[in-house]
Amino acid sequence: MASWFYASEGKQQGPFPEGQFRDLVAQGVVRPDTLVWTEGMAGWQKAAEIPGLVGGGGAPPMMPAGGPPMMGAGGYAGGGSGGSLAVDFGILEFTWRTLVLVIGSCFIIPVPWLFVWYTNWIVPCFKVPGRPNLSFTGSAMTLVPWFFGFIGLAIALSFVGSEILSNLLFVVQIVLYWLLIKWMIANLASNGQPLGLSFTGSVWAYIGWNLLFAISIITIIGWAWVAAAQMRWFCRNIEGTRREIVFTGSGLDILWRGIVAAILCSLIIPIPWVYRWIMNWFASQTVLAPRGSVAA
C-alpha cells in the first residue's frame, strides 16, 4: 500500500498509509494547494494537481518513476535547496546498546553480528532530507571473512615479530576500513528501497588521508583541519544522489569541540551526551546542496 507525505510549514510530514492520508484530505489538513509526494512521483506536487486525490474518486494514478524528492528548509524537488542532516537518539538506549557492543566485542567472535546489530539501530536515527525511514540492509556474513581473515593474519604476524610486517598489517587494517565504508554506504535504504549510493574514493587516497591525520597529531592542533578536509573529501566521493553532499564544518569548529569533548569524557558519566552532541553537530554540517552550486 502506498505511503504519502505532505509538506507543512516547510517540513516534511509522514509517511501516512493511503487510508489515513485520505482522512487528512477529508479533514482539510491536506488542502488543494498542499505539496504532497508518494513513491512513483517525479517530485512534490500540489494535491489538486493529482487526479482523484482531492474531491473524491479512486486512487490516483502512478506518476512517472523517479527517486524520492529532496526537501530542505526552503524548497522541494526541483527547488534550489536540499538541507542538512540531523541525528537524534535516546541516551538510555545509546548507553545500553554501546555497552553491549563494547563488552560483546571483548569476546572477538560476535563482533560482525554485534556491529551489524548496532548499525541497524543507529542508521534510522539519522534524518536525511527527502529520504524517510533510513535503514541498513547489510548482512553480518559479509564481514565474517574480512574480520576473521584479519584476525588470523594478525596472529600469524605476531609470531614473526617483523617491524615491516607490523606496518603492513596497519595498512591492511586501513584497507579493510575502506572496504567497510564502501559496503555500509552501498547498503543504505529508504522506505525499504536501496538508495543506490556508492563510495568512489580510492583506497590510495583513503590510506593517504589516514597517514596524514596520524602525522598531523604531532602538531597538537593540526589534526582538526586535516579531519575537516578529509570529511569534505569523503562527502564529495559519495555518488548516486541528486544533490551534492557537502561538509561545511571548519577545522576550528572541530578543534574546540574536540577539546571540550575530551575534557567532558574524562568524567565518564557525560560520555553519552557528549557523543550525541558531537554527532548532531557533524550531521548539521553535512548538507545536501543543488549540484553545481558548490565551487570545486
Side-chain angles (χ1 to χ4, degrees), residues 30 47 71 76 80 99 101 104 107 155 175 179 203 209 213 226 254 272 275 282 292:
V30 176
M71 180 176 176
Y76 304 90
L99 287 175
L101 177 66
F107 296 95
I155 293 174
V175 172
L179 289 172
V203 64
W209 278 113
F213 182 81
V226 173
I254 294 176
Y275 186 76
F282 271 97

Side-chain angles (χ1 to χ4, degrees), residues 191-245:
N191 272 345
Q193 299 297 318
L195 289 177
L197 301 179
S198 62
F199 179 68
T200 59
S202 73
V203 64
W204 298 111
Y206 186 73
I207 291 173
W209 278 113
N210 280 273
L211 292 177
L212 179 60
F213 182 81
I215 295 172
S216 68
I217 294 177
I218 300 174
T219 67
I220 308 300
I221 64 173
W223 62 269
W225 279 263
V226 173
Q230 184 175 8
M231 278 295 298
R232 288 192 286 272
W233 170 81
F234 174 81
C235 291
R236 283 198 306 270
N237 283 280
I238 297 177
E239 299 291 339
T241 66
R242 294 190 297 167
R243 296 288 189 272
E244 290 184 83
I245 303 176

